[in-house]
Amino acid sequence: MSEHCEEQEMEAEALEAIWGMEFEMLNDSQPFKWSVKLMPVDCGGDEEEEEKQNHVVIKLIATIPLDYPEASVPELDVEVIKGLAGDQVKDLKAVANEEAEANAGMPAIFAVCEAVRAWLAENNVKGLDDGSMHAQMMRKMKEKEKAKAKQEQLQQFESQKESQDLTTAEQEEIAVRKRRAEGTPCNDETFYAWLQKFEEEQAQKEVEDENAAEEKVGGGGGGKKKSAEKVDVTKDRHTGFEQFSGKVGIMSLEAIEAAAEEAENESGDEADIDELDEDLFDDDDDLDDLDFDSDDDDEVDSDDDDEPDI
């Protein structure tokens, strides 16, 4: 009896509790040999229902080494009860051994049974034991379809993982690009959402302008006033009526008339005769040269020529 005998016996008791009548102890002394009947659908012991729903049924036979589970894995074999051909048996053995290796160092029979039953559920089809060429071609086509479906699922999983790995900023950038490409539909919902946002921005802008005006009026110190006092730039200006009516002492009608009269006197006074240059009128010779009589005769002659003949 090896040092792992007790642990192996405890595993056998657990398997019997789980599988019930489907578990069988083929060799009750070391090396132990166990058998588990596996089918895709558990019908609770109803043999007639099991026959209808399960098209593939096998027995998994495990030979347990003395140093299992610490140093080795069980030797596995498959006994076909229903529905499998030689190629499927090879595939099923490969699945069982792979699962056993994955659980090396620990009790592995339950995990191996679950992996085998999952494979049986995926291949629970009539005619898998048919060795004709047509049946083999149909099985290969189905296997290709399954492989393609698994590949698509794997690609979808990877794409989802990549999207989850993206940062928040990258996701927002992708969403913005998508909205730019697709555009935002204009309807009641989007319009009122935009309007609300616009009104909030305008209200915020008004508050900021008021605060800036308060700081400007208050000189930036002494705290902010409750309301900004608007500076009236026209406060000290005078109207035209005030300027010309003399009410503000700037300009009145009497002052305008007096100013006009004074300017006229200064520019309109006759020059003093004593200040005239008499030499301008002393040259009598120039006057003697003028022939005033000749001019008068010419005028008379022209008048006579104009009179009509009688």
Side-chain angles (χ1 to χ4, degrees):
M1 181 180 294
S2 69
E3 58 182 358
H4 301 290
C5 180
E6 184 177 356
E7 187 176 0
Q8 294 172 5
E9 289 177 348
M10 291 177 62
E11 184 178 0
E13 291 177 0
L15 293 172
E16 186 176 6
I18 295 170
W19 302 108
M21 297 296 294
E22 309 300 337
F23 176 78
E24 185 179 358
M25 181 80 74
L26 300 180
N27 189 1
D28 58 358
S29 62
Q30 287 187 312
F32 295 118
K33 194 172 185 178
W34 305 329
S35 171
V36 182
K37 183 180 179 181
L38 299 171
M39 59 191 71
V41 182
D42 184 7
C43 299
D46 189 342
E47 295 182 358
E48 184 177 354
E49 195 67 24
E50 286 179 359
E51 185 68 22
K52 289 181 181 179
Q53 296 191 29
N54 295 299
H55 305 293
V56 288
V57 182
I58 62 102
K59 274 188 178 181
L60 178 67
I61 299 172
T63 301
I64 308 301
L66 296 179
D67 55 356
Y68 168 84
E70 183 177 353
S72 62
V73 296
E75 298 176 5
L76 303 173
D77 195 8
V78 174
E79 180 182 334
V80 178
I81 298 175
K82 179 183 178 182
L84 292 178
D87 293 339
Q88 288 79 39
V89 173
K90 291 180 180 178
D91 294 340
L92 192 54
K93 283 184 179 180
V95 170
N97 289 317
E98 183 179 355
E99 189 66 22
E101 293 290 342
N103 290 272
M106 65 183 71
I109 301 301
F110 175 76
V112 172
C113 290
E114 287 296 307
V116 169
R117 193 167 70 165
W119 187 94
L120 293 174
E122 291 179 359
N123 296 273
N124 189 24
V125 182
K126 286 183 178 181
L128 289 181
D129 54 348
D130 188 355
S132 65
M133 293 294 295
H134 176 72
Q136 292 179 8
M137 289 178 61
M138 294 299 294
R139 286 195 294 267
K140 288 181 179 180
M141 290 178 62
K142 289 181 179 180
E143 289 175 359
K144 289 181 179 180
E145 291 177 357
K146 289 180 180 178
K148 184 179 180 181
K150 287 183 178 179
Q151 185 67 22
E152 291 177 353
Q153 290 178 355
L154 180 61
Q155 291 177 353
Q156 184 178 4
F157 172 76
E158 290 178 352
S159 63
Q160 290 177 354
K161 185 178 179 181
E162 288 177 358
S163 63
Q164 291 175 356
D165 293 340
L166 292 175
T167 63
T168 304
E170 290 173 340
Q171 292 177 358
E172 290 179 354
E173 184 178 357
I174 292 173
V176 169
R177 291 180 179 177
K178 185 177 180 181
R179 286 197 299 269
R180 287 176 180 173
E182 296 178 353
T184 302
C186 184
N187 50 39
D188 292 344
E189 182 178 357
T190 56
F191 172 75
Y192 285 114
W194 170 84
L195 180 61
Q196 182 179 2
K197 184 178 179 181
F198 176 76
E199 290 177 347
E200 290 176 356
E201 291 176 353
Q202 292 298 111
Q204 181 66 23
K205 185 178 180 181
E206 290 179 0
V207 171
E208 292 176 356
D209 293 342
E210 290 179 358
N211 293 337
E214 290 174 0
E215 292 179 357
K216 185 176 181 180
V217 172
K224 295 183 179 180
K225 296 182 179 180
K226 293 183 179 179
S227 60
E229 296 180 359
K230 295 183 178 179
V231 179
D232 189 0
V233 296
T234 62
K235 183 177 180 181
D236 296 330
R237 291 184 181 177
H238 301 292
T239 64
F241 175 76
E242 291 175 341
Q243 292 177 353
F244 290 97
S245 63
K247 290 186 176 182
V248 294
I250 297 176
M251 191 177 293
S252 63
L253 185 58
E254 292 81 1
I256 293 172
E257 292 178 350
E261 184 177 355
E262 183 178 356
E264 184 179 356
N265 291 335
E266 291 177 355
S267 61
D269 288 344
E270 294 181 357
D272 192 353
I273 297 175
D274 296 337
E275 296 177 357
L276 294 178
D277 188 0
E278 294 179 357
D279 294 337
L280 296 175
F281 303 97
D282 290 342
D283 193 1
D284 295 335
D285 296 337
D286 294 338
L287 296 176
D288 293 338
D289 294 337
L290 296 177
D291 189 2
F292 294 104
D293 294 335
S294 176
D295 292 339
D296 294 338
D297 292 341
D298 292 340
E299 290 178 1
V300 172
D301 291 340
S302 63
D303 292 339
D304 292 340
D305 292 339
D306 295 335
E307 291 179 1
D309 296 332
I310 302 174

